């Protein structure tokens, strides 16, 4: 099932969001968070006084004070860990080394899975016709999860590059691909970041919406996606 809202133009390349578009990211993040908390409790005993919500509150506070951290998930987590260890009484040296070890623990678990084979096959089929890239707000390692052979490159925010829906990564992508903005079709599950980001950058958008038919698109005003799909495999018929 697919719904076309805006007349599409010819596509020269396709970009994909990663988390919750090419795989179910919820269990992966929860597993990574649990592994990090276990590592902290086992290695730094004072952290047993804190649970997940305490770390979330600290990270939220840090981002409020340093908004640029909101555009770099790895940097935000590293600073959260360092500041938390300092607050719990550890020395600067132990806080810095512990924060880096904790981040590495999280990142390892965060990319310790493989994208489902049917999705890889879909991307491989599409790659015969279009250059494919990733545009993600997250920090997953695309190579480790099996996307290295099907995506030409993956863009992440950070170091001055803002997250979607800001247009930075869309602009960077089209410069690297050497195509006009309107020739990039971006596929993603989030209306707030993927559809709005692509539309505001001047790209085309495909909204992967598992709740197809239940979300009321009129509430999104003029920023409709070019097309809406319920399952990513519908792209095979639409674009293949």
């Amino acid at each position: 099932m697919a719904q076309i809202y805006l007349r599409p133009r010819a596509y020269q390349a396709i970009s994909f969001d990663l988390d919750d578009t090419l795989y179910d990211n919820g269990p992966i993040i929860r597993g990574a968070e649990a592994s990090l908390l276990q590592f902290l409790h086992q290695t730094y005993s004072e952290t047993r006084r804190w649970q997940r919500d305490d770390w979330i509150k600290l990270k939220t506070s840090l981002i409020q004070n340093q908004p640029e951290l909101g555009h770099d998930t790895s940097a935000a987590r590293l600073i959260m860990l360092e500041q938390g260890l300092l607050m719990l009484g550890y020395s600067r040296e132990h806080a810095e080394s512990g924060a880096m070890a904790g981040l590495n623990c999280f990142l390892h678990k965060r990319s310790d899975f493989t994208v489902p084979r049917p999705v890889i096959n879909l991307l491989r089929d599409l790659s015969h016709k279009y250059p494919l890239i990733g545009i993600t707000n997250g920090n997953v390692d695309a190579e480790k999860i099996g996307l290295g052979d099907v995506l030409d490159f993956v863009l992440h925010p950070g170091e001055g590059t803002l997250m979607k829906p800001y247009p930075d990564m869309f602009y960077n992508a089209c410069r690297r691909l050497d195509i006009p903005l309107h020739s990039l079709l971006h596929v993603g599950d989030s209306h707030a970041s993927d559809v709005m980001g692509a539309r505001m950058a001047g790209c085309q958008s495909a909204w992967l919406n598992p709740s197809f038919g239940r979300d009321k698109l009129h509430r999104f005003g003029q920023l409709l996606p070019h097309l809406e799909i319920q399952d990513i495999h519908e792209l095979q018929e639409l674009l293949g």
Side-chain angles (χ1 to χ4, degrees), residues 131-153:
L132 306 183
I133 67 168
I135 297 180
T136 176
N137 282 347
N139 55 3
V140 73
D141 187 324
E143 291 281 343
K144 289 182 178 178
I145 65 174
L147 294 173
D149 293 334
V150 288
L151 299 182
D152 290 356
F153 59 86

Side-chain angles (χ1 to χ4, degrees), residues 99-113:
M100 184 57 69
L103 177 63
N104 288 336
C105 170
F106 176 86
L107 292 177
H108 170 75
K109 190 67 175 180
R110 198 253 186 279
S111 298
D112 188 22
F113 69 98

